[in-house]
Amino acid sequence: QVTRSIDNYQEKAKRIRALPRVTLAAPFTTHEVMLSADGQVGGTFLRGIDLSQPELLADLKRYFPDQDLKGLLTLESVPFNGNGERRAPRGIVLGESLARNILAYKNQQLLVNSPLGVLSPAGIIPNVRKFTMAGEFTTGMREYDQTLALVALDQAQAFFDMGDTVTGIEVKIDDADRAREVAQAIRDAIGPGYTTRDWMEMNRSLFEALKQEKVLMFIVLVLIILVAAFNIISTLVMMTMEKRADIAILKTMGARSRSIRRIFMFEGLLIGSIGTVLGAIGGLIFTWNIQAIAKGVGWLLGIELFSSEVYFISELPAEIRPSELASIVSIAVVVSFLATLYPAWKASRLDPVDALRYE
């Protein structure tokens, strides 16, 4: 996202689109406004989007699967009202939570009030304009569904008396992890006097919380693996005590201590490997069906597990990364192997005379 009041924005957007990895460069405006619907009032960010950008409309299509966003904002799909009067050619689309908060419904006339006001001979008067509620959208993130409204770019420019300028250019790239690299290329392309904000900067607090949570989850998983390792140790130690006579007989028949150690190490490694493989398969099945499982648990308990009123998201996203899965499986197998060393060493040092004395 490139931010600042920008003139000649079409030329700058064209330069940005020519950069490597850039798939979309769409100018926009954004302002804080007050919405009023039949006495119900709510604050929001009014965002003007460029309806001439087919890439932008295609990207937003997922939030309007059965509707034409361009038609909604230009009211091409909204008929005359019951009195035969033509509706105002200004459509507005609200986030689902925002529409619910102000009790707005489709085809309703909304008053949009800008706090900037308009200078007149009588002083500054409120800048108010009517828009027609054309539809709703749901992103799955309450932060956007409750604080965002969309209008056409030209309507926003006229409402805020911006002329032919915008407040920023939104940029989409093919690799989100290269955002900072592309941001530097954008600053070089459009010249000095402009700033850029990538998705990591805009959501810094969220990602810091996720980072800390990831560290804590890693510690919890390590503790679980250590508990499993202690179970392997205790199992092998008990087996050593039960098989004292068998170990003694093997030693009297010429088995070396090294062979006894290998037997117990192999057995412990086999137990750990089987448990790791079964756990990995179970984890993959759980991850693939996590949405259905979450809905089923919520239905059984009669609650909404991931309510958009509480969390940033309304669903629990899951991504399987083969490299991280392989690392976890490898760590579990290595810990299982290390857990066999002490019991195997203990079994190899068993004295056959003491073991057979009371048999």
Side-chain angles (χ1 to χ4, degrees):
Q1 182 179 356
V2 183
T3 57
R4 182 190 160 184
S5 183
I6 303 173
D7 55 4
N8 195 19
Y9 58 87
Q10 295 290 3
E11 176 62 27
K12 292 181 174 63
K14 185 177 179 181
R15 290 187 208 168
I16 295 173
R17 290 191 201 98
L19 296 175
R21 299 192 175 279
V22 174
T23 59
L24 172 68
F28 69 92
T29 64
T30 182
H31 295 85
E32 291 186 70
V33 297
M34 189 73 70
L35 292 180
S36 176
D38 293 338
Q40 301 293 326
V41 179
T44 186
F45 286 95
L46 187 67
R47 190 179 184 93
I49 61 175
D50 189 357
L51 299 180
S52 66
Q53 295 278 338
E55 297 87 356
L56 175 62
L57 296 177
D59 191 53
L60 295 175
K61 183 68 177 177
R62 54 186 168 175
Y63 306 124
F64 303 87
D66 302 321
Q67 303 177 84
D68 175 21
L69 178 58
K70 184 175 181 180
L72 292 177
L73 294 182
T74 56
L75 295 183
E76 292 176 1
S77 59
V78 178
F80 295 105
N81 61 20
N83 299 324
E85 299 174 353
R86 183 178 297 276
R87 295 184 183 278
R90 296 187 289 267
I92 186 171
V93 177
L94 308 183
E96 182 183 37
S97 299
L98 175 61
R100 187 169 61 248
N101 289 343
I102 64 173
L103 304 179
Y105 54 87
K106 192 171 183 179
N107 299 336
Q108 183 183 17
Q109 295 292 310
L110 305 181
L111 291 179
V112 180
N113 189 338
S114 171
L116 299 179
V118 178
L119 184 62
S120 71
I124 297 178
I125 62 175
N127 185 13
V128 182
R129 183 167 297 191
K130 284 185 178 181
F131 284 81
T132 300
M133 167 75 170
E136 301 176 3
F137 64 87
T138 303
T139 64
M141 293 189 68
R142 183 171 178 267
E143 180 180 0
Y144 296 117
D145 294 342
Q146 193 176 20
T147 60
L148 189 61
L150 304 179
V151 296
L153 179 62
D154 57 344
Q155 294 293 340
Q157 290 173 327
F159 181 38
F160 295 103
D161 195 21
M162 298 179 63
D164 194 23
T165 64
V166 295
T167 56
I169 300 175
E170 184 176 12
V171 180
K172 184 178 180 181
I173 61 178
D174 58 5
D175 185 357
D177 294 330
R178 308 290 290 272
R180 292 184 177 174
E181 175 185 330
V182 176
Q184 181 60 49
I186 291 174
R187 289 194 294 270
D188 295 338
I190 63 177
Y194 297 93
T195 61
T196 59
R197 294 177 62 202
D198 57 51
W199 60 275
M200 290 177 281
E201 293 179 13
M202 296 171 66
N203 301 279
R204 184 183 299 275
S205 59
L206 174 62
F207 290 112
E208 286 295 331
L210 291 176
K211 184 177 180 180
Q212 295 180 10
E213 185 174 339
K214 188 175 182 179
V215 172
L216 293 176
M217 287 300 298
F218 176 77
I219 295 174
V220 171
L221 287 175
V222 169
L223 293 176
I224 292 174
I225 293 174
L226 290 177
V227 171
F230 280 118
N231 288 334
I232 294 176
I233 294 173
S234 62
T235 299
L236 293 179
V237 169
M238 293 297 295
M239 188 176 296
T240 301
M241 297 176 63
E242 293 176 359
K243 302 296 183 180
R244 287 170 59 91
D246 296 330
I247 296 172
I249 292 173
L250 288 175
K251 281 201 166 187
T252 57
M253 292 175 64
R256 297 182 177 180
S257 298
R258 182 185 302 174
S259 300
I260 302 298
R261 282 198 301 269
R262 288 178 178 174
I263 291 173
F264 279 87
M265 289 169 65
F266 176 77
E267 184 172 3
L269 184 60
L270 181 63
I271 295 173
S273 299
I274 293 175
T276 300
V277 171
L278 293 178
I281 294 174
L284 288 173
I285 295 174
F286 180 84
T287 303
W288 286 329
N289 299 278
I290 192 168
Q291 297 295 351
I293 293 173
K295 290 181 180 179
V297 172
W299 178 78
L300 288 174
L301 299 178
I303 60 174
E304 186 179 357
L305 291 182
F306 300 101
S307 173
S308 59
E309 301 293 328
V310 180
Y311 302 99
F312 284 100
I313 55 179
S314 58
E315 294 182 349
L316 185 62
E319 178 184 0
I320 298 174
R321 297 185 178 180
S323 58
E324 294 188 3
L325 178 62
S327 300
I328 293 172
V329 169
S330 301
I331 292 173
V333 172
V334 169
V335 172
S336 300
F337 173 74
L338 294 177
T340 66
L341 296 181
Y342 174 75
W345 174 79
K346 192 74 174 177
S348 67
R349 290 181 57 84
L350 184 66
D351 187 354
V353 176
D354 293 336
L356 295 174
R357 179 173 297 170
Y358 301 104
E359 294 294 332

